[in-house]
Amino acid sequence: MNFALNNFDAINAVYSSIKQPSTKNETPTGESVAAMTKKLHDFTPPAGEGDGPRYILLVTDGNPDTCIRFDPQCGRDPSIKAVQDAYAAGIGTFVIGVGDIINNPNNGCHNNGPANPPTRCGELFLQDIANAGTGQAVIEDLSDVNDGCTPNGFMATYGSPGGTAKYYTATNQADLQTALSGLLNSVASCSFEMNATVTGNPGLGTVKVGSTAVAFNDPNGWKLESDNYTVTLQGTACDLFKAGSSNVDISFPCDPGVVVVGR
């Protein structure tokens, strides 16, 4: 299925057609990430639109599985591998945990008695997958070996100590909206392409973040890139824009010192 806005009805129709009441629901995280990685890799922006950074937003309610085996689940290693492969292809992954993975973190996870207790489950898995999505180190989980989940060895790459990438959790709709807003603001670009090229003295231009004018060629202000049509906010000016409550206004005067040529 292709991704699209307001796509609930189409997704719900597919799930409803395959869900069987007697079948245990699973969470094939690795397969889902791999499928989305291919779609994003192959995606071509519409004509006239720039190609910005690409990300996967992974919202999950359960520990990962492969649909091949019930509990204990064996989906952690292929999920981390899929996210690391996405990162290697230039696609980052952001993670939000909802529902069961927060409220019942060891559900379906390794739990075969004191000799093999649950380890990297629940929020620990969210931390691991967030680390993989930002290129940071992920801690190995020997429970996968003890439970026979990795008979041919680990597929993903592991290291220690693990990273500290940010992940989000949500237990209600308001929490989910807050998490999504935080993620979108964190990846917003502070560079703006104008539909005109500036020649002459760019310092005569005015850039405002909200109602605040910010200084030209200031580490906490703005600069004009070498292409002469991209304005980039820097430092605290960029932070203010990413906070999500301020618009950016860019203007250059019709002055002998500045010539704005249409692109």
Side-chain angles (χ1 to χ4, degrees):
M1 177 182 297
N2 290 325
F3 47 83
L5 295 175
N6 303 316
N7 211 20
F8 171 80
D9 290 339
I11 294 172
N12 188 53
V14 172
Y15 282 155
S16 298
S17 68
I18 62 177
K19 183 178 179 180
Q20 301 297 323
S22 61
T23 302
K24 180 180 182 293
N25 292 329
E26 300 291 4
T27 307
T29 306
E31 291 91 335
S32 301
V33 170
M36 185 53 65
T37 297
K38 185 179 187 310
K39 284 184 177 291
L40 287 175
H41 182 269
D42 295 343
F43 173 73
T44 300
E49 295 188 10
D51 187 7
R54 302 185 183 197
Y55 298 96
I56 293 171
L57 174 60
L58 174 61
V59 182
T60 182
D61 69 345
N63 291 304
D65 210 342
T66 61
C67 295
I68 297 174
R69 170 183 175 181
F70 285 167
D71 302 335
Q73 297 178 349
C74 289
R76 179 181 183 270
D77 183 54
S79 297
I80 291 170
K81 167 67 171 172
V83 173
Q84 288 177 334
D85 286 347
Y87 184 80
I91 301 168
T93 300
F94 295 113
V95 183
I96 302 177
V98 299
D100 202 50
I101 199 168
I102 305 301
N103 301 325
N104 191 13
N106 293 329
N107 183 28
C109 214
H110 307 285
N111 191 11
N112 296 336
N116 187 25
T119 51
R120 308 297 299 181
C121 304
E123 290 199 44
L124 292 178
F125 170 71
L126 297 179
Q127 179 67 76
D128 294 339
I129 211 76
N131 289 340
T134 54
Q136 299 186 43
V138 181
I139 295 176
E140 189 177 84
D141 186 356
L142 292 179
S143 291
D144 280 339
V145 177
N146 297 335
D147 279 333
C149 290
T150 55
N152 299 315
F154 287 112
M155 295 185 293
T157 301
Y158 297 97
S160 184
T164 58
K166 186 174 179 58
Y167 65 90
Y168 296 80
T169 61
T171 58
N172 53 57
Q173 183 176 356
D175 288 346
L176 182 58
Q177 289 176 328
T178 298
L180 289 171
S181 295
L183 282 169
L184 292 174
N185 290 336
S186 71
V187 300
S189 174
C190 284
S191 292
F192 305 88
E193 291 187 0
M194 299 183 293
N195 60 358
T197 299
V198 177
T199 62
N201 180 12
L204 296 178
T206 300
V207 175
K208 292 183 178 180
V209 183
S211 61
T212 303
V214 294
F216 172 60
N217 271 353
D218 187 290
N220 291 310
W222 67 277
K223 67 177 180 178
L224 184 68
E225 300 290 353
S226 59
D227 58 18
N228 290 326
Y229 58 79
T230 302
V231 170
T232 297
L233 300 178
Q234 304 183 111
T236 56
C238 179
D239 293 339
L240 180 60
F241 169 67
K242 283 192 171 186
S245 60
S246 299
N247 294 323
V248 175
D249 180 79
I250 302 171
S251 63
F252 289 90
C254 292
D255 184 276
V258 177
V259 179
V260 181
V261 181
R263 291 175 59 218

